[in-house]
Amino acid sequence: MNLAVREALRAFQRAPMLSLLSITTIAFSLFAFGLFGLVYLNLRDALAQVEERVEIRGFVAEGTSAEATSAAVGDIAAFPEVASVRYVSDVQALERARRELGEFEDVFEAGILPASIEVRLREGQRDPESVRSVARRLEFYDFIDDIRYGEEWVEKLYKIRNIATAVGLSLGVIFAIVAIIIIGSTIRMAVLARSREIHIMRLVGATNGFIRAPFLVEGFLKGVLGGLLALVLTYFTFEFVGQYVVEATYFGSGLAVLGVLAGALIGLLGSAVSVGRHLRRV
Amino acid sequence: MNLAVREALRAFQRAPMLSLLSITTIAFSLFAFGLFGLVYLNLRDALAQVEERVEIRGFVAEGTSAEATSAAVGDIAAFPEVASVRYVSDVQALERARRELGEFEDVFEAGILPASIEVRLREGQRDPESVRSVARRLEFYDFIDDIRYGEEWVEKLYKIRNIATAVGLSLGVIFAIVAIIIIGSTIRMAVLARSREIHIMRLVGATNGFIRAPFLVEGFLKGVLGGLLALVLTYFTFEFVGQYVVEATYFGSGLAVLGVLAGALIGLLGSAVSVGRHLRRV
Amino acid sequence: MIRFTHVSKLYPKGGPALDDVSFHVNRGEFVFLTGPSGAGKSTILKLVYVDQRPSQGEVRIAGQSSVTLTGSAVPKLRRRLGVVFQDFRLLEDRTAEQNVAFALEVIGTPQDAIGPKVARVLTQVGLAGKATALPHELSGGEQQRVAIARALVNDPLVLLADEPTGNLDDRATRGIFQLLRDINATGTAVLMATHDLATVRANPYRTLEMNRGKLVYDSASEHPAAADEFDAPVPDASETPQ
Amino acid sequence: MIRFTHVSKLYPKGGPALDDVSFHVNRGEFVFLTGPSGAGKSTILKLVYVDQRPSQGEVRIAGQSSVTLTGSAVPKLRRRLGVVFQDFRLLEDRTAEQNVAFALEVIGTPQDAIGPKVARVLTQVGLAGKATALPHELSGGEQQRVAIARALVNDPLVLLADEPTGNLDDRATRGIFQLLRDINATGTAVLMATHDLATVRANPYRTLEMNRGKLVYDSASEHPAAADEFDAPVPDASETPQ
Ligand SMILES: Nc1ncnc2c1ncn2[C@@H]1O[C@H](COP(=O)(O)OP(=O)(O)OP(=O)(O)O)[C@@H](O)[C@H]1O
Ligand SMILES: Nc1ncnc2c1ncn2[C@@H]1O[C@H](COP(=O)(O)OP(=O)(O)OP(=O)(O)O)[C@@H](O)[C@H]1O
Ligand SMILES: [Mg+2]
Ligand SMILES: [Mg+2]
């Protein structure tokens, strides 16, 4: 094994740039996974918070009787998805608007904001689908003029999360494939360059496992180095974002170790596939 | 030369994946340049259009005399950067608001929109810097309460353009470097793998140029293929964007040929540097 | 030890390299293999160290048959052989010393046993002073002696030597030949392919003569064969010799 | 043609490989170079084809001096020499034919002239039937003959042959030697390093004997030297021979 490690290090010397490139590519692969994994994690948290504040607001037509609205409030409260329902009169609405939009105070005059029924949903029922379905059911009340809900925002966040996941996954997979190709090619060339040596090893009684070992060690080392580099990269990116953009959650040491292992796996895989295929031909 | 091309093609056979990777990396490098080049071109056009509509609006305090405002209008018109100045009374402002923001009609009531002085700048003077400087000079008039100008939009577009240029340039340069490294490493390994052959070539009287030629041809071919691939990639991206996002301008055939030449140059460079360095040692 | 039974070898290109060859070599025997260029001498040796498989017939080596030998059993068999290749087959980027040590590392010899063994065998072939030279820093004859040292260092059961003195002058040839005789005296069988008729004539060993793939002369058929023990399995002690 | 003047060669490792060697070879001469393994025979040849430069003294070849020869002039000089290397130096991934053709391609011989030349020279060395075999598909002696064919195909001004018959049996040796004699008869100087004392003794050519880097015997010093024309520049006609 000692010999295998020595031979693997020799290989680094022989193709330093290509080895570096393999390591960097593995690192980028894991970095892409890691970065978009972090985006996913943080967006998931953000979504949970935003969803908490999701509310459906039905504007009540002027001159609707108090009985009609309170009957509706009771009905709506009975929907399985609904957590709470609240009636906001036009006076309350104006007050709230003044409070919240103080800046534009002069714009709001009495009577321009209508009364509304405001509905909050239970946890787990706040996805765009459920929100839309409750909103549709509110439309059945004749006296409800217009319905608003933060639909664009929720949908946007969901979209961002999905895009981030897809981009992260595909970038990661692409880089992983490129890494495997580079490693595989490096080893293909190393096997070609060392074919004479390999042939001689065979002739003096070396087993296939013995011949294969340095290549596997080489791939494994590259993978581990790539994984560590990826960890460093994500950490600095994360720190940078935390400082200049938003506070975010980092992943735990368990996931970090998993990342390095994933690198080792990519490295081993690239080596194993290539060395298996090429040794047969030498 | 015939021999050099044959040897170069042999090299492709020996390391097909690595050759493909070299080509792809060159393609990505040029793709990055090309794509962000296109973004730059199109943003430049968009900026020109947006800037045309840039206007500075000074809101006039209630109860200001007509003489004061018209004197100010005269003064401002004399600024070198200014193309035109217009006074908009409160009645005109409300009308315009109703027309433009029909949707929110009920929100606007007489008296809430103040009168204003609206200033447009000359072409070439519409960059954020000039706009800000004119706006600052408007502040000197006591009766001007508040000044608004599309500053965020202009600055945002400028920022996007600058970011796009920087991202494009750096991505392009990074990929170009990676391409040169991959090509260089491929050739380094090829030189190592063929060192015996190269030594023998020397012994039977081959000149250095003769030995170098196949490697240079190899790099050149990779570069040209990479350049063509990049053209195809940008073209499809461009078509896709044109169909689903916005109409955009594509670059002419002169630039396209330049791109392929740039690819050839990257390929040649990667080969030349590596082969020069390694042949000396064989 | 080695038995060829009606062995033929046809390479994909060209005619038969071996044509119905049968002979056996006993344990501890010393055998010359002669014949003109292209006669099939190297091919016989390649069949013994299983670089090639026979097209027809059977080759038995140390109790193993070419018919049943699996690919994974080949390394184990080779560790019990020492081979001097006609073209030396030294590793270009390792010193003489490292080339010899390599053959020991490959078979898992403990690290601290390697140094002394290598030094001893390099001295035997007269290259103690060139231990740290790379192959391209050695003369042709010196390279050949490194190849011989590598074949000997394992204390093999059988030594296969393909033209081991082709690049050596008369005096060096006599030295190497004496070395092979010493090895043989310790019980190692030696099968040596050579063009050097002077050496063959000067030594009273058995001679196999090949021509165009056929065995045309076997001096052993003139005098009685030694105790026939060629087919008995040999205890596998070669990995921890001495 | 070739003149060594007080030439010494010290390799970075080890003692002097050549020690104050002086001799000259005239145009069209046939010279044997003998001596024990490690004596410096290959080193002399390497100095002639400028694979090595002398540490001291001067080597002149075809009017070029090792003192003034620039690196870029070396290929041109080599094209006028034919070299048979002791270790053959064939390209492993090319056939016998391609290996020989390669030497012509490198020096820019027109494509349609290559085929006939290659076929002719392969026939001369007795390998017409093995033209499409790769080196590893050839016996040791066959590889050696490919190497000889490659050295001859250029119609060189000087043929340097390092142990060209080391892997050949007596009959093949006589064949190759006859070939070298024929070449020599057309005016090509031949400098042949060899251990084969039988051949040396059987032929009345000049013999240089080396030992430990020193020139210890020159048979030419016993009889008068031929017309001394070694230093005259030779017209550069080797690139379009015949
Ligand atoms: N791998 C191969 N493929 C095709 N033909 C081969 C192969 N190996 C050897 N041959 C042919 O088989 C014949 C016998 O070769 P072999 O190497 O056994 O000869 P040899 O007796 O060792 O000759 P030499 O004294 O020249 O080394 C030769 O004609 C050779 O060309
Ligand atoms: N590149 C080198 N570096 C160091 N020493 C070298 C180098 N080449 C040759 N030598 C040494 O120089 C001496 C002479 O070598 P040379 O190859 O000339 O011998 P030779 O006469 O051709 O011997 P042989 O008959 O064995 O081929 C030898 O001792 C050899 O080890
Ligand atoms: Mg042979
Ligand atoms: Mg020599």
Side-chain angles (χ1 to χ4, degrees):
Chain A
M1 211 49 195
N2 184 12
L3 186 73
V5 173
R6 230 165 53 216
E7 291 294 324
L9 293 181
R10 226 180 225 262
F12 274 87
Q13 270 177 14
R14 261 183 246 190
M17 286 313 250
L18 222 49
S19 299
L20 212 69
L21 205 65
S22 308
I23 293 170
T24 319
T25 322
I26 293 178
F28 272 121
S29 168
L30 296 171
F31 179 56
F33 279 128
L35 206 59
F36 290 84
L38 281 181
V39 170
Y40 177 87
L41 279 183
N42 284 288
L43 275 181
R44 201 189 54 190
D45 293 0
L47 269 171
Q49 280 176 24
V50 168
E51 282 180 352
E52 225 167 76
R53 286 194 282 162
V54 159
E55 81 184 2
I56 302 166
R57 203 181 284 190
F59 291 98
V60 176
E62 249 177 291
T64 307
S65 69
E67 293 83 49
T69 51
S70 63
V73 167
D75 285 356
I76 295 166
F79 290 179
E81 299 97 332
V82 170
S84 71
V85 187
R86 197 160 67 107
Y87 175 75
V88 181
S89 73
D90 50 359
V91 180
Q92 291 168 323
L94 185 63
E95 254 167 32
R96 187 170 56 184
R98 284 232 165 90
R99 210 170 46 240
E100 291 182 356
L101 310 164
E103 205 188 332
F104 299 103
E105 207 175 334
D106 47 348
V107 175
F108 300 99
E109 296 289 314
I112 58 167
L113 283 174
S116 62
I117 292 175
E118 295 181 6
V119 180
R120 280 169 181 277
L121 300 182
R122 288 179 200 283
E123 228 185 298
Q125 306 279 354
R126 290 166 183 154
D127 55 295
E129 198 42 53
S130 313
V131 171
R132 254 200 303 278
S133 115
V134 172
R136 262 200 301 279
R137 270 180 283 162
L138 288 192
E139 277 173 10
F140 291 132
Y141 296 95
D142 286 342
F143 56 83
I144 293 188
D145 260 0
D146 192 9
I147 297 171
R148 301 226 178 130
Y149 47 98
E151 108 197 46
E152 319 88 53
W153 277 107
V154 174
E155 290 194 347
K156 229 172 234 172
L157 278 176
Y158 265 93
K159 244 189 203 157
I160 293 179
R161 192 192 67 176
N162 291 342
I163 291 178
T165 313
V167 168
L169 276 180
S170 31
L171 265 186
V173 167
I174 289 175
F175 273 114
I177 291 175
V178 172
I180 289 179
I181 289 179
I182 297 186
I183 292 181
S185 304
T186 314
I187 283 182
R188 179 193 160 90
M189 300 213 68
V191 168
L192 285 181
R194 294 179 56 195
S195 59
R196 222 179 107 79
E197 187 168 336
I198 290 169
H199 192 66
I200 294 172
M201 285 171 90
R202 286 229 177 95
L203 289 178
V204 297
T207 57
N208 267 328
F210 184 88
I211 293 169
R212 206 179 284 121
F215 293 105
L216 297 184
V217 170
E218 186 186 338
F220 178 80
L221 283 181
K222 282 179 185 167
V224 169
L225 289 176
L228 290 176
L229 186 57
L231 264 191
V232 171
L233 279 180
T234 40
Y235 184 75
F236 278 112
T237 310
F238 166 78
E239 279 288 303
F240 179 83
V241 167
Q243 203 157 359
Y244 295 101
V245 193
V246 287
E247 277 293 318
T249 336
Y250 195 59
F251 34 57
S253 59
L255 270 176
V257 169
L258 211 73
V260 176
L261 282 184
L265 198 73
I266 295 177
L268 261 182
L269 207 71
S271 299
V273 170
S274 184
V275 83
R277 268 182 39 214
H278 295 297
L279 273 188
R280 237 170 289 144
R281 291 197 234 145
V282 169
Chain B
M1 211 49 196
N2 184 14
L3 186 73
V5 174
R6 230 166 53 216
E7 292 295 323
L9 294 180
R10 229 179 222 261
F12 274 88
Q13 270 177 15
R14 262 182 242 189
M17 286 313 250
L18 223 49
S19 299
L20 213 69
L21 204 64
S22 309
I23 294 171
T24 318
T25 324
I26 293 178
F28 273 120
S29 167
L30 295 171
F31 180 56
F33 278 128
L35 206 60
F36 290 84
L38 281 181
V39 169
Y40 177 86
L41 279 183
N42 284 287
L43 274 181
R44 200 190 54 190
D45 293 358
L47 269 171
Q49 280 176 23
V50 167
E51 283 180 350
E52 225 165 77
R53 287 193 281 163
V54 160
E55 81 184 3
I56 303 166
R57 203 179 286 190
F59 291 99
V60 177
E62 250 176 290
T64 308
S65 71
E67 291 82 47
T69 51
S70 63
V73 167
D75 285 358
I76 295 165
F79 289 1
E81 299 97 334
V82 169
S84 71
V85 189
R86 198 158 66 107
Y87 175 74
V88 180
S89 73
D90 49 359
V91 180
Q92 290 168 324
L94 186 63
E95 254 166 31
R96 188 171 55 184
R98 283 228 167 93
R99 209 169 47 242
E100 291 180 357
L101 311 164
E103 207 188 329
F104 300 100
E105 207 173 335
D106 49 349
V107 176
F108 299 100
E109 296 288 314
I112 57 167
L113 282 174
S116 60
I117 292 175
E118 295 181 5
V119 180
R120 279 170 181 276
L121 300 181
R122 287 180 202 282
E123 227 186 297
Q125 307 280 356
R126 291 165 184 154
D127 55 295
E129 200 41 56
S130 313
V131 170
R132 256 199 304 276
S133 115
V134 171
R136 262 199 303 277
R137 270 180 283 161
L138 288 191
E139 277 172 13
F140 291 131
Y141 295 95
D142 285 340
F143 55 83
I144 292 187
D145 261 359
D146 190 7
I147 297 172
R148 301 225 178 132
Y149 47 97
E151 109 195 46
E152 318 89 53
W153 276 107
V154 174
E155 290 195 346
K156 228 174 235 172
L157 276 175
Y158 265 94
K159 243 189 206 158
I160 292 178
R161 193 192 66 177
N162 291 343
I163 290 179
T165 312
V167 168
L169 276 181
S170 32
L171 265 185
V173 168
I174 289 175
F175 273 115
I177 292 175
V178 171
I180 289 178
I181 290 179
I182 296 187
I183 291 180
S185 304
T186 313
I187 282 179
R188 179 194 160 89
M189 300 214 68
V191 169
L192 285 181
R194 294 179 56 194
S195 59
R196 222 179 106 79
E197 188 169 333
I198 290 168
H199 192 67
I200 294 173
M201 284 170 89
R202 286 227 177 96
L203 289 178
V204 297
T207 58
N208 266 330
F210 184 88
I211 293 169
R212 206 179 284 123
F215 294 104
L216 297 185
V217 170
E218 186 185 338
F220 179 80
L221 283 181
K222 281 177 186 169
V224 169
L225 289 176
L228 290 176
L229 186 57
L231 264 190
V232 172
L233 280 179
T234 39
Y235 184 74
F236 278 112
T237 311
F238 166 77
E239 279 288 302
F240 179 84
V241 168
Q243 202 156 4
Y244 295 100
V245 192
V246 287
E247 277 295 318
T249 336
Y250 196 59
F251 34 58
S253 59
L255 271 176
V257 169
L258 210 74
V260 176
L261 282 184
L265 198 75
I266 295 177
L268 261 182
L269 206 72
S271 299
V273 169
S274 183
V275 84
R277 269 182 39 215
H278 295 297
L279 273 188
R280 236 169 290 144
R281 291 198 234 144
V282 170
Chain C
M1 209 64 216
I2 300 171
R3 163 174 277 222
F4 277 56
T5 323
H6 300 299
V7 172
S8 294
K9 177 68 192 176
L10 274 145
Y11 287 113
K13 288 178 197 168
L18 289 184
D19 185 3
D20 195 18
V21 171
S22 298
F23 67 91
H24 68 252
V25 175
N26 289 324
R27 180 181 288 216
E29 214 176 347
F30 195 120
V31 179
F32 286 122
L33 197 54
T34 64
S37 175
K41 303 181 294 298
S42 297
T43 301
I44 284 180
L45 298 185
K46 283 177 187 164
L47 288 170
V48 176
Y49 61 82
V50 205
D51 190 35
Q52 297 286 348
R53 302 276 192 153
S55 310
Q56 266 168 42
E58 188 195 17
V59 177
R60 291 189 75 93
I61 316 112
Q64 306 268 19
S65 162
S66 65
V67 178
T68 55
L69 192 73
T70 61
S72 58
V74 171
K76 214 160 176 187
L77 174 61
R78 287 187 182 156
R79 291 173 187 201
R80 307 165 77 183
L81 310 175
V83 188
V84 183
F85 303 98
Q86 191 166 10
D87 51 359
F88 315 159
R89 308 246 172 125
L90 301 177
L91 294 171
E92 296 298 339
D93 56 350
R94 294 176 204 235
T95 63
E97 200 167 56
Q98 285 169 344
N99 264 287
V100 177
F102 187 69
L104 292 174
E105 282 169 356
V106 158
I107 63 169
T109 311
Q111 210 67 31
D112 50 348
I114 291 180
K117 271 174 179 267
V118 171
R120 178 174 54 78
V121 74
L122 279 180
T123 308
Q124 278 185 314
V125 299
L127 278 185
K130 297 275 177 185
T132 59
L134 292 170
H136 79 263
E137 295 169 347
L138 293 172
S139 80
E142 287 161 352
Q143 290 182 37
Q144 190 153 49
R145 281 178 279 163
V146 175
I148 293 168
R150 183 179 60 188
L152 294 179
V153 75
N154 274 342
D155 296 309
L157 211 57
V158 181
L159 182 73
L160 306 170
D162 199 351
E163 210 68 58
T165 58
N167 281 277
L168 298 178
D169 57 286
D170 283 356
R171 210 159 60 87
T173 297
R174 279 195 301 277
I176 289 298
F177 193 72
Q178 186 56 49
L179 190 61
L180 295 183
R181 255 199 319 233
D182 294 348
I183 303 281
N184 181 242
T186 67
T188 301
V190 176
L191 185 53
M192 171 174 165
T194 185
H195 296 118
D196 186 358
L197 293 182
T199 302
V200 172
R201 281 184 205 120
N203 289 282
Y205 295 128
R206 178 173 167 202
T207 302
L208 297 174
E209 194 182 325
M210 299 291 302
N211 199 353
R212 297 174 181 250
K214 283 199 196 307
L215 181 59
V216 293
Y217 172 72
D218 180 353
S219 62
S221 58
E222 292 168 16
H223 38 82
D228 192 342
E229 51 176 337
F230 58 85
D231 218 18
V234 176
D236 186 358
S238 65
E239 282 173 63
T240 52
Q242 282 190 325
Chain D
M1 207 66 216
I2 301 171
R3 161 174 280 224
F4 276 55
T5 322
H6 301 300
V7 171
S8 293
K9 177 69 191 174
L10 274 144
Y11 288 114
K13 288 180 201 169
L18 289 185
D19 186 0
D20 193 18
V21 172
S22 300
F23 67 90
H24 67 251
V25 175
N26 289 324
R27 180 181 286 218
E29 214 178 346
F30 196 120
V31 178
F32 287 122
L33 195 56
T34 63
S37 176
K41 303 181 293 297
S42 297
T43 301
I44 284 181
L45 298 184
K46 282 176 189 165
L47 288 171
V48 176
Y49 62 82
V50 205
D51 190 34
Q52 298 285 348
R53 302 276 193 153
S55 311
Q56 267 170 40
E58 187 196 17
V59 177
R60 291 188 76 92
I61 316 114
Q64 307 268 19
S65 161
S66 66
V67 178
T68 56
L69 193 73
T70 61
S72 57
V74 171
K76 213 160 176 188
L77 174 60
R78 285 186 183 158
R79 291 172 189 202
R80 307 166 76 183
L81 310 175
V83 188
V84 183
F85 303 97
Q86 192 168 11
D87 51 359
F88 315 159
R89 308 242 173 128
L90 301 177
L91 293 171
E92 297 296 339
D93 56 351
R94 295 176 202 232
T95 63
E97 199 167 56
Q98 286 168 344
N99 263 287
V100 177
F102 187 69
L104 292 174
E105 282 169 358
V106 157
I107 64 169
T109 310
Q111 211 65 31
D112 50 349
I114 291 179
K117 269 174 180 269
V118 171
R120 177 175 55 78
V121 74
L122 280 179
T123 308
Q124 277 184 316
V125 299
L127 277 186
K130 298 274 178 187
T132 60
L134 292 169
H136 78 265
E137 296 168 345
L138 294 172
S139 80
E142 287 160 352
Q143 290 180 38
Q144 191 152 47
R145 282 178 276 165
V146 176
I148 293 168
R150 184 179 60 189
L152 294 180
V153 75
N154 275 342
D155 297 307
L157 212 55
V158 182
L159 183 72
L160 306 168
D162 199 350
E163 211 66 61
T165 57
N167 281 276
L168 297 178
D169 56 286
D170 283 355
R171 209 159 61 87
T173 297
R174 278 194 302 276
I176 290 298
F177 192 72
Q178 186 54 50
L179 191 61
L180 296 184
R181 255 200 320 232
D182 294 348
I183 303 281
N184 180 241
T186 68
T188 302
V190 177
L191 184 54
M192 171 173 165
T194 184
H195 297 118
D196 186 0
L197 292 183
T199 301
V200 172
R201 279 183 206 123
N203 290 283
Y205 295 129
R206 178 174 167 201
T207 303
L208 297 174
E209 195 181 324
M210 299 292 301
N211 200 356
R212 300 176 179 252
K214 285 199 195 305
L215 182 60
V216 293
Y217 172 72
D218 180 352
S219 60
S221 57
E222 294 170 16
H223 38 82
D228 195 342
E229 49 176 339
F230 58 85
D231 218 20
V234 175
D236 186 359
S238 66
E239 283 176 64
T240 52
Q242 281 189 329

